[in-house]
Amino acid sequence: MITDENGELPTFTGTDEYIVSESLVSAVNAAVVLQRPLLVKGEPGTGKTLLAEAIAQGLGLPLLSWHIKSTTRAQDGLYHYDVVQRLNDSRFNDRDVSDIRRYIKMGVLGQAFSAQSRVVVLIDEVDKADLEFPNDLLHELDRMRFRIHELDEEVVARHRPIVIITSNAEKELPDAFLRRCVFHYISFPDKTLMARIVKVHHPHLESQMLDAAIERFYWLRGMNDLKKKPSTSELIDWLAVLARGGVSPDDIARRLPFPGTLLKVEDDHELLGKKLERRFN
Amino acid sequence: MFLDFFYLLREQGLPVGTGEWLAFERALASGLEGGKLDGFYHLGRALLVKSEGHYDLYDVAFARFFHGFGLPAEITEALRRWLEQPAEIRSEALPTLINPEDLREQFRRLLEEQKERHDGGNRWIGTKGASPFGQQGQNPQGMRVGEQGGGRSAILEAEARQFQNYRTDVKLDVRHFKTALKTLRKLDREGPEVLQLDPTIQKTARNAGEIELVFAPDRKNAIKLLLLMDAGGSMDPYSELVSRLFSASHAVQHFKQLEHYYFHNCVYSRIYKDIAQRTGVLTKDMLRELPSDFRVVFVGDACMAPWELTAGSDFSLGYGATPMTGIDWLRSIRKHFRDAIWLNPEPRRYWNHPTISQIGAVIPMYELTLDGLKQAMRRLRIGRRDLR
């Protein structure tokens, strides 16, 4: 079990800016104590990526991010041996090519393993990569070590990093991978939690205004045929616009000012127009 | 400890293994649940459940395990009735922590002794008290009785079953189909040779800088898929679902070859290119044309009158045709191709229909749900001949 200098378990309780639910706190702490990767899924805009930043901030550890693309391979996260550069250097004779180490560059996991202190590693949107990608990382994440074949050396983590993996559920993740993870699904915040989240961003907002806006926001999200439902960040933007625009709570309840901040798809605007018309005529 | 809970979860169909359970026990040993049932609920969910689609299974199991606590139903019912109106009483003293087995036992004993209503206080079952039993109490190790909890209790949360809509055995959209279909692959190197950059660089480097080019064909999915879909009247309620599967299988552009045909209720001597069943081909010709390395996916409810499956006449060819029954046709398709499975949109609980079991005996049948689809794809990928 990992303890800090005082021999105590570091526990995560969220930060001033990042409000977490009880179940998420429980999942994070389980992942930290059991030293397993935490897999976070959820709708877009529920703060999956921000969680890693909040954990790093909350526990006072540095954060290393690895953003996955469709072309990312597991090897990229470990190390990269730049053969082409070395070949090029050897042809033009302008650098010492005898030292292979100069051409080995650590990836994010490589850096995390060789770091002097414990770090938080974010593997963002793991489902963007090939289906086999998570399986290729299994061993490294499990044992927290890998081999650099070119040097015939092993990189072993001095301090097991806290690994946070996010997924948008675009692809199914392999079972073997899931078995090793602590899993949490961030569901969309309920009204009370949302009010707390919004207050962090707009501390001076009148509660009447806040209530009206949140009420309206959930009404909008409740429309099932929306192509793209507005998320938390859109609500926060919308409130900023409302405050600037000098809109009263009554206005929010009666019509829906500045819908462009909330709805980003043209069809949704049409739908909203029809709904509002029906409601007030 | 709590091993019954583990088996209850498995019984509910939650794919939880020993590894996860041991991790959970380790977490409990380090006191991560904070001595609270809420903590236990959240911790268990984080460690034992690996998909939001399974949250609901967990909730159901949790509610069953901790709600009933093996009490006779009528007592719970009676208790619940008078527990519904709590009184505003608070109590200071809290007893020390009790382990769940003792708690359960004590609850039984108390139930036998107690004959009247109690609010407050620290011994009897009632509301707002410090006794470990009852509602809205302050005992952190306590057991809540009835549905209406004061605070946000774990059991209440589980009973609310807010993740019902995420269940993977009910909801299916095009993307779900796509992900499931994508798992169906077998990579083969074939096609024209192309320059392979990485091996080229490696070889060249090994050659001390003398360029050496490496060519090889790219890896491509070698799987060929044949979709056979029922467009019969009884399939109307599922037409939306089937069309999603159809569009997904085309949209993934994942298979080496993809063919599709429609049939009505069961496959007979003629099979159709379009839903309206106007352009038909002879099933015999289809079998001749398509090589046997296709994998076949049937989609249909497999519900029909028994004679539609087993009567020895042919409905589409008219008089004088070879008397091959529907089930014969299914057998010959199954025999011709490497592997075949049947996806059935009817929920499994209705599968005792005679024609469903008859067809299921020839072609392995799976539910047309996310879980069923995954299992079916896995079976097709591994290509095991006999799982029955």
Side-chain angles (χ1 to χ4, degrees):
Chain A
M1 193 181 305
I2 288 195
T3 50
D4 63 9
E5 295 79 32
N6 309 322
E8 292 203 350
L9 276 176
T11 44
F12 174 72
T13 49
T15 64
D16 294 344
E17 275 108 59
Y18 194 84
I19 311 283
V20 285
S21 67
E22 198 184 339
S23 55
L24 181 52
V25 167
S26 178
V28 170
N29 288 326
V32 172
V33 171
L34 297 175
Q35 308 187 354
R36 290 183 173 219
L38 173 64
L39 173 65
V40 189
K41 278 208 298 193
E43 265 187 62
T46 40
K48 297 186 291 293
T49 306
L50 287 176
L51 172 68
E53 286 171 27
I55 293 174
Q57 203 195 335
L59 299 178
L61 301 172
L63 173 72
L64 292 174
S65 306
W66 183 15
H67 300 283
I68 307 299
K69 302 192 187 87
S70 63
T71 53
T72 309
R73 294 168 315 136
Q75 182 65 35
D76 302 344
L78 307 177
Y79 71 95
H80 173 67
Y81 171 35
D82 198 346
V83 203
V84 179
Q85 182 68 52
R86 194 170 177 214
L87 177 62
N88 199 42
D89 287 355
S90 79
R91 289 212 151 177
F92 301 103
N93 230 352
D94 48 3
R95 261 208 281 178
D96 177 20
V97 292
S98 63
D99 185 8
I100 193 168
R101 276 170 208 284
R102 302 177 57 153
Y103 299 97
I104 289 193
K105 296 189 178 76
M106 286 295 183
V108 172
L109 285 179
Q111 290 171 34
F113 289 0
S114 41
Q116 295 299 325
S117 66
R118 198 142 76 117
V119 297
V120 178
V121 173
L122 166 68
I123 304 181
D124 204 13
E125 304 194 45
V126 72
D127 52 334
K128 282 252 170 74
D130 187 77
L131 279 169
E132 293 304 321
F133 175 84
N135 273 340
D136 294 347
L137 278 179
L138 271 188
H139 180 78
E140 284 73 16
L141 287 179
D142 220 22
R143 302 262 158 250
M144 293 284 178
R145 58 172 66 198
F146 63 87
R147 208 165 186 83
I148 300 183
H149 299 285
E150 284 77 4
L151 300 176
D152 202 19
E153 270 178 18
E154 187 152 65
V155 179
V156 184
R158 294 167 208 236
H159 307 272
R160 285 180 78 104
I162 299 171
V163 182
I164 311 294
I165 302 169
T166 72
S167 163
N168 279 325
E170 266 179 32
K171 292 196 186 92
E172 286 296 321
L173 298 169
D175 286 348
F177 178 76
L178 289 176
R179 266 201 296 278
R180 287 168 172 81
C181 294
V182 175
F183 173 77
H184 184 79
Y185 181 85
I186 304 190
S187 39
F188 201 81
D190 59 9
K191 287 182 191 173
T192 350
L193 187 61
M194 184 57 94
R196 280 176 62 203
I197 294 171
V198 169
K199 266 187 203 134
V200 168
H201 296 270
H202 299 287
H204 305 301
L205 208 66
E206 290 166 43
S207 61
Q208 223 183 339
M209 176 91 162
L210 183 69
D211 291 346
I214 286 183
E215 202 56 47
R216 212 75 179 106
F217 176 74
Y218 278 92
W219 173 80
L220 194 62
R221 272 187 62 89
M223 288 166 52
N224 276 327
D225 15 12
L226 282 187
K227 289 239 164 63
K228 192 197 160 298
K229 290 186 178 183
S231 66
T232 315
S233 62
E234 274 131 11
L235 172 65
I236 291 167
D237 289 350
W238 188 47
L239 280 166
V241 177
L242 290 179
R244 286 274 174 81
V247 182
S248 73
D250 276 356
D251 282 347
I252 301 174
R254 229 177 306 121
R255 51 192 193 101
L256 209 149
F258 308 111
T261 335
L262 291 171
L263 299 176
K264 308 288 170 69
V265 185
E266 206 182 317
D267 294 358
D268 289 349
H269 280 279
E270 264 174 47
L271 191 73
L272 174 70
K274 277 185 207 148
K275 275 261 162 94
L276 286 176
E277 218 170 274
R278 224 175 301 146
R279 208 172 132 107
F280 297 109
N281 284 342
Chain B
M1 200 163 99
F2 294 118
L3 214 55
D4 288 349
F5 184 49
F6 175 63
Y7 284 105
L8 181 62
L9 288 173
R10 290 188 57 99
E11 201 183 289
Q12 291 284 317
L14 191 78
V16 46
T18 340
E20 285 106 325
W21 186 258
L22 287 175
F24 181 46
E25 297 242 320
R26 258 174 66 207
L28 287 177
S30 359
L32 269 176
E33 90 289 0
K36 284 187 299 190
L37 196 56
D38 285 19
F40 183 91
Y41 169 80
H42 291 306
L43 190 66
R45 202 177 69 182
L47 289 169
L48 303 173
V49 188
K50 298 300 160 82
S51 155
E52 71 275 19
H54 292 144
Y55 272 5
D56 189 52
L57 291 178
Y58 179 79
D59 279 356
V60 171
F62 188 89
R64 242 180 80 184
F65 190 77
F66 289 97
H67 172 68
F69 248 143
L71 297 165
E74 64 272 29
I75 296 184
T76 328
E77 199 46 57
L79 274 175
R80 191 182 297 154
R81 238 176 287 127
W82 60 255
L83 277 168
E84 259 158 22
Q85 303 102 28
E88 294 294 327
I89 307 168
R90 294 205 158 259
S91 165
E92 258 66 63
L94 292 178
T96 45
L97 304 184
I98 315 161
N99 86 43
E101 279 78 25
D102 293 349
L103 196 67
R104 202 193 312 202
E105 190 44 50
Q106 205 180 325
F107 185 69
R108 274 222 191 79
R109 263 206 328 271
L110 270 176
L111 263 182
E112 282 161 20
E113 291 174 32
Q114 180 172 352
K115 296 278 177 273
E116 54 194 295
R117 179 179 175 138
H118 286 268
D119 291 319
N122 61 7
R123 178 173 155 84
W124 296 104
I125 305 164
T127 55
K128 301 250 171 193
S131 147
F133 309 107
Q135 284 200 321
Q136 306 177 351
Q138 292 135 41
N139 192 317
Q141 285 275 292
M143 192 170 129
R144 192 167 55 75
V145 183
E147 317 261 19
Q148 308 267 318
R152 211 174 56 119
S153 111
I155 298 177
L156 184 71
E157 206 170 312
E159 278 170 352
R161 295 185 58 186
Q162 46 176 330
F163 290 98
Q164 211 166 0
N165 292 337
Y166 295 91
R167 279 184 88 119
T168 43
D169 48 354
V170 285
K171 195 178 123 198
L172 274 175
D173 62 25
V174 176
R175 214 176 59 183
H176 286 129
F177 279 122
K178 279 196 204 166
T179 22
L181 287 169
K182 271 191 187 159
T183 60
L184 187 57
R185 65 175 185 180
K186 196 173 133 274
L187 295 177
D188 268 1
R189 285 201 182 273
E190 58 176 58
E193 305 237 306
V194 261
L195 177 68
Q196 304 288 318
L197 202 55
D198 285 350
T200 299
I201 293 170
Q202 241 154 33
K203 278 249 163 122
T204 306
R206 292 234 169 84
N207 253 359
E210 277 311 308
I211 305 288
E212 188 174 330
L213 300 172
V214 180
F215 289 92
D218 268 340
R219 273 145 61 90
K220 288 233 171 69
N221 191 3
I223 284 188
K224 300 171 183 172
L225 196 70
L226 170 64
L227 267 179
L228 295 176
M229 290 163 286
D230 186 353
S234 59
M235 281 293 284
D236 283 352
Y238 307 113
S239 62
E240 174 69 31
L241 198 63
V242 176
S243 77
R244 278 186 214 150
L245 170 66
F246 180 73
S247 58
S249 56
H250 282 270
V252 284
Q253 300 199 328
H254 171 67
F255 301 107
K256 189 173 176 194
Q257 221 181 324
L258 175 68
E259 297 289 336
H260 72 270
Y261 290 95
Y262 293 94
F263 58 88
H264 189 90
N265 276 346
C266 187
V267 181
Y268 302 110
S269 58
R270 208 170 261 279
I271 201 161
Y272 302 88
K273 260 283 139 188
D274 54 341
I275 298 186
Q277 315 215 340
R278 270 187 222 106
T279 24
V281 293
L282 289 176
T283 311
K284 256 192 315 205
D285 290 347
M286 178 197 79
L287 288 179
R288 199 166 32 231
E289 232 170 72
L290 298 180
S292 61
D293 59 350
F294 267 87
R295 287 161 166 87
V296 189
V297 173
F298 285 91
V299 187
D301 57 0
C303 283
M304 57 198 94
W307 53 266
E308 284 182 284
L309 192 61
T310 49
S313 63
D314 201 300
F315 306 102
S316 42
L317 276 192
Y319 295 112
T322 353
M324 240 174 92
T325 61
I327 195 90
D328 286 341
W329 279 112
L330 293 179
R331 279 202 196 100
S332 67
I333 291 175
R334 173 70 188 85
K335 219 171 104 193
H336 177 78
F337 293 107
R338 176 189 206 113
D339 208 351
I341 55 105
W342 190 294
L343 291 173
N344 197 333
E346 289 280 342
R348 191 179 279 275
R349 57 180 182 276
Y350 301 131
W351 284 14
N352 48 12
H353 192 281
T355 56
I356 294 190
S357 43
Q358 254 173 307
I359 291 178
V362 177
I363 297 163
M365 200 172 282
Y366 298 89
E367 249 182 314
L368 187 50
T369 61
L370 194 49
D371 286 342
L373 193 61
K374 271 195 233 161
Q375 283 162 15
M377 292 303 126
R378 194 178 143 74
R379 139 108 208 193
L380 282 184
R381 190 178 65 236
I382 299 169
R384 229 179 307 168
R385 280 228 160 245
D386 207 357
L387 281 178
R388 278 157 283 146

